Amino acid sequence: GRAVNAHILMQGEQNVSGLAENTTVDKYGRMYVRNGGTATGTVVNGGTMNVYAGGKIENTTLNGGSQLLYGTAVGSSLTNGARQEIRDSGTAENTLISDGAVQTVNDGASATGTTIDGGRQYVFGTATDTTLNSGDLYAYSGSRLTNTVINNGFMDITQSEIDGLTVNGGTVTAYENAQISGLKLYGGTAELYSGAVLNGSAVVNNASLTLND
């Protein structure tokens, strides 16, 4: 089936196994995108959205509220303190995290093409082509990040593998069992503490690299 321009109000619920277009989910409303379902142009204003394995969402705006993602999300915007948690083999592509919003990429999950503008990302799984303009990026516990660019903000690395890290500004700190390859420092600061390893050569130009005990 197909639903267009639905409005889910307080305590309301929508289950999507077909196609839902331009749905609005208000505070305390709930939307469930199930296996085989697709939702496009959804706006979540403080409600809840769950996307299960085999479900897909496109061009979603989370304006506050929360989302559990086991399926696929493309082109999401997280703002106004929204919370997105990617679990199992869930994937998020081309996500914008801003205005205090938080994305958590759990073990087995992945995020590609993420831009952080005043939000926060926690990575326990895989993140590729991430850009941090402002806000925070935390790489923890066996995570793997590839082609990360830090323009400003703060990045913290612990027990993670970082392959390709370009720092144009901001601060990067690395701790126990952090493995960093392909470091390019063109601005800002990077501090490596005991147990962190810098593999291969690093480029440092008009920036500060500190190796602590």
Side-chain angles (χ1 to χ4, degrees):
R2 180 187 180 197
V4 180
N5 298 329
H7 195 165
I8 313 302
L9 301 174
M10 184 177 295
Q11 302 300 329
E13 179 177 307
Q14 184 184 55
N15 287 275
V16 181
S17 296
L19 175 63
E21 299 177 279
N22 303 326
T23 302
T24 300
V25 184
D26 283 343
K27 189 174 182 179
Y28 303 122
R30 299 179 299 275
M31 183 177 188
Y32 303 106
V33 182
R34 304 192 181 275
N35 183 25
T38 299
T40 66
T42 306
V43 177
V44 180
N45 294 319
T48 299
M49 184 181 199
N50 291 358
V51 184
Y52 296 98
K56 182 177 182 179
I57 60 173
E58 299 176 342
N59 301 323
T60 302
T61 299
L62 284 179
N63 182 29
S66 62
Q67 180 187 87
L68 291 178
L69 178 62
Y70 299 89
T72 301
V74 179
S76 297
S77 177
L78 316 179
T79 188
N80 195 25
R83 299 289 187 270
Q84 181 190 59
E85 184 169 346
I86 312 171
R87 295 182 177 179
D88 298 342
S89 58
T91 62
E93 302 175 15
N94 302 328
T95 305
L96 173 63
I97 309 170
S98 64
D99 194 21
V102 177
Q103 180 190 68
T104 302
V105 185
N106 285 296
D107 184 25
S110 64
T112 302
T114 305
T115 300
I116 306 168
D117 278 324
R120 182 176 296 176
Q121 184 186 53
Y122 294 95
V123 183
F124 300 90
T126 302
T128 304
D129 297 332
T130 304
T131 300
L132 174 63
N133 293 323
S134 63
D136 305 300
L137 171 57
Y138 296 91
Y140 287 155
S141 187
S143 63
R144 179 181 174 86
L145 283 72
T146 305
N147 297 334
T148 305
V149 177
I150 311 299
N151 292 319
N152 210 335
F154 175 75
M155 181 180 186
D156 185 270
I157 308 165
T158 304
Q159 298 181 347
S160 302
E161 183 177 344
I162 312 298
D163 185 7
L165 175 60
T166 300
V167 181
N168 298 314
T171 301
V172 175
T173 57
Y175 297 94
E176 181 181 4
N177 294 328
Q179 300 278 337
I180 302 176
S181 302
L183 175 63
K184 297 178 181 179
L185 272 173
Y186 298 123
T189 63
E191 297 189 28
L192 277 63
Y193 291 87
S194 178
V197 177
L198 182 60
N199 296 311
S201 61
V203 176
V204 182
N205 185 8
N206 196 31
S208 172
L209 173 61
T210 304
L211 306 177
N212 296 298
D213 293 332

